[in-house]
Amino acid sequence: MSILVVDVGTSSVRAVLVRPDGSVDLARRRPLPPDVPAAGLVEFDPAAMAEAALDVAAEVAAAAGGGVDAVGVTAQRASAVAWDAKSGRPVGPGLGWQDLRTVGTCLELQAEGFRFSPSESATKYAWLASQLDDHDAHLKLGTVDSWIAWNLTGGAEHITDATNAAVTGLYDPASGGWRADALAALRLREESLPRIVDSTGALAVATALPGTPPLCSLVGDQQASLVGQGCTRRGLAKATFGTGGMLDVCLGSSPPASGRTPRGCFPIVAWRRAGTVTWGSEALMLTAGSAVDWLVSDLGLLPDAAASEAVAAGCDDTGGVVMVPALLGLGTPQWDFGARGAVFGLTRGTTSAHLVRAVLEGVAHSGADLLEAVEADNDLTVPTLRVDGGMSANAVFVQALADACDRPIEVSPELEATALGAGYLAGLATGAWASTEEIAEAWSPKRVVEPSGRDPGRQRWKAAVEHAGQWYPELSAISF
């Protein structure tokens, strides 16, 4: 039993083969960085994305011997694509989830009682539709998973799964369908939107691939990572540290409160199987690995991000320096878009190594903030935190995270667990794995990092965050 997974990220497209033992093999990747034509605008080429996805999928299928038993798709969430159903071609740029061109629309709609975020798909769909002279029945709107599924099925299926639908701003958790009031407010037609399906099951047929294998999973990237790290029981949680940081916890069958919680978390659909939703909760930081990129690209202190580990290890501590990585504002728990990155405690003896270590520890403290928020909002205790993403390879960072969280950190054997999670979900549909409990039992971390017992400086960190907040009061006043 071999499962082909297409994984469409923010900056690249890859395909892998997931084996019956849970190993990931035969990876193929294409870089596909987004365009930033102006400040706040993030676009991508949907046609190039689809071509890259089909190419890497075909390469992996060929390397696997020409055929696979099932296909899974995991993708960046909330990014928006518009296309013509007759031609199958995009009718505008793809809008990345980071795109902020609809901030004004979101604020205007708040006066009408609708709370959309510019990071959701809803207002992006409205913007794309508004650029067309004729918003007719041939217009299709979808998130990246929908667009890839459309291309894999040769235009036969316009579908999305509940994990992706739930982050569009248009999903009705009570009915499991689209919100009629939100569609009306945005002047969108329901027939333009995809049909909402399970995250796992016999969803469609990938006729664009050799052997026409069944498409058996669709899932958002963070939920895929949650499953990929075996977090399929209540209270199990993972954090992904990439450009930003996402912490997700499995809650089970009882839905959490709708909307943003008092401590800045959001309810998510973790997955849907046979029509039954498993819920989760998500907390996020806006800046994680991008703070290390700042040291590389803007300050020139490091030749590359990987060098941060050795440089930071060159000193025992930060020398009293605290860095708040709020380069784009603060996410959970503060949600302060007017906060900005700040460095405190500089002295004449501060070195570049101290600053590099302070950046890594600052991201670790932010991760601990996410964990505290998720635990408090959902009245649970996470015994250990599982981690993946590029920063999980950095031993100094992972130790700092264990110290800040004051609990063991389990490092994923897969640096990017998204593809494995989509493979697990597809395997549930084919019988490769019998249950989510079997997936939980399959978890085997690459390593476990225990807290060192040293004082992580949480009180000093919290004071620094207070000082970094509301740097631009007019932005801090904005809430979505």
Side-chain angles (χ1 to χ4, degrees):
M1 177 68 67
S2 57
I3 298 167
L4 170 67
V5 174
V6 178
D7 182 355
V8 186
T10 302
S11 58
S12 68
V13 178
R14 68 171 181 151
V16 304
L17 199 72
V18 176
R19 303 286 190 184
D21 62 357
S23 61
V24 175
D25 196 12
L26 304 180
R28 301 291 188 273
R29 185 187 297 265
R30 295 283 189 281
L32 196 73
D35 295 321
V36 183
L41 305 186
V42 182
E43 300 179 352
F44 59 89
D45 182 343
M49 174 183 284
E51 181 180 4
L54 292 175
D55 283 350
V56 293
E59 288 177 15
V60 170
V68 295
D69 298 293
V71 178
V73 173
T74 180
Q76 55 175 292
R77 303 171 304 176
S79 297
V81 182
W83 67 96
D84 183 291
K86 290 187 295 184
S87 68
R89 297 190 58 79
V91 294
L95 303 188
W97 58 270
Q98 317 99 313
D99 189 276
L100 298 177
R101 74 186 66 201
T102 63
V103 166
T105 302
C106 293
L107 295 175
E108 290 170 7
L109 287 167
Q110 285 185 9
E112 300 177 24
F114 294 94
R115 296 195 68 86
F116 297 113
S117 168
S119 63
E120 294 174 326
S121 316
T123 55
K124 301 181 195 299
Y125 288 160
W127 186 89
L128 286 166
S130 72
Q131 306 306 298
L132 303 175
D133 295 331
D134 182 19
H135 177 184
D136 62 21
H138 297 295
L139 176 68
K140 298 299 180 185
L141 298 165
T143 42
V144 166
D145 66 304
S146 300
W147 172 237
I148 298 302
W150 174 274
N151 282 275
L152 284 173
T153 62
E157 297 288 348
H158 186 31
I159 55 177
T160 188
D161 92 302
T163 69
N164 283 286
V167 296
T168 61
L170 299 171
Y171 179 72
D172 178 8
S175 68
W178 300 115
R179 293 172 50 196
D181 61 337
L183 294 177
L186 294 166
R187 297 178 176 84
L188 295 174
R189 297 178 179 178
E190 185 169 352
E191 56 263 35
S192 295
L193 298 182
R195 177 169 55 93
I196 302 173
V197 301
D198 288 340
S199 309
T200 172
L203 308 179
V205 179
T207 56
L209 296 180
T212 62
L215 176 60
C216 290
S217 72
L218 286 177
V219 62
D221 56 0
Q222 297 308 314
Q223 289 92 330
S225 175
L226 188 73
V227 175
Q229 295 184 71
C231 299
T232 55
R233 299 173 183 150
R234 177 177 170 80
L236 294 181
K238 69 83 188 173
T240 298
F241 294 95
T243 301
M246 303 276 190
L247 191 149
D248 300 86
V249 63
C250 180
L251 296 180
S253 59
S254 298
S258 61
R260 198 170 83 192
T261 65
R263 292 175 178 83
C265 303
F266 295 88
I268 60 167
V269 173
W271 65 85
R272 194 178 90 179
R273 185 184 186 197
T276 298
V277 169
T278 297
W279 296 90
S281 181
E282 183 168 277
L284 64 95
M285 69 179 75
L286 304 177
T287 302
S290 55
V292 181
D293 292 338
W294 168 68
L295 295 172
V296 176
S297 302
D298 298 292
L299 297 189
L301 295 182
L302 299 170
D304 51 49
S308 62
E309 179 180 349
V311 172
C315 53
D316 293 332
D317 54 43
T318 67
V321 177
V322 177
M323 192 276 179
V324 181
L327 304 183
L328 297 172
L330 290 167
T332 304
Q334 300 86 1
W335 283 106
D336 181 353
F337 292 104
R340 285 297 178 266
V343 182
F344 300 96
L346 294 173
T347 70
R348 182 63 180 81
T350 299
T351 67
S352 58
H354 288 131
L355 182 57
V356 171
R357 190 178 188 101
V359 167
L360 298 181
E361 293 193 5
V363 176
H365 278 295
S366 294
D369 288 349
L370 303 190
L371 182 60
E372 290 176 359
V374 159
E375 290 183 324
D377 270 334
N378 297 288
D379 191 27
L380 52 77
T381 299
V382 175
T384 62
L385 182 63
R386 301 172 182 180
V387 297
D388 73 333
M391 292 190 71
S392 68
N394 187 311
V396 174
F397 166 72
V398 175
Q399 184 64 65
L401 183 65
D403 293 342
C405 293
D406 192 27
R407 71 201 66 195
I409 303 298
E410 298 181 349
V411 180
S412 170
E414 292 296 327
L415 193 63
E416 300 173 64
T418 50
L420 178 56
Y424 278 147
L425 290 171
L428 284 176
T430 62
W433 291 277
S435 66
T436 55
E437 184 62 26
E438 185 177 347
I439 292 171
E441 292 293 335
W443 169 251
S444 179
K446 181 178 181 179
R447 65 182 188 278
V448 179
V449 179
E450 300 284 347
S452 66
R454 63 191 291 178
D455 179 10
R458 290 290 287 163
Q459 292 306 312
R460 179 175 284 179
W461 161 257
K462 291 180 184 294
V465 170
E466 287 292 326
H467 287 299
Q470 300 189 22
W471 194 254
Y472 295 104
E474 65 277 13
L475 295 178
S476 297
I478 295 175
S479 179
F480 298 109

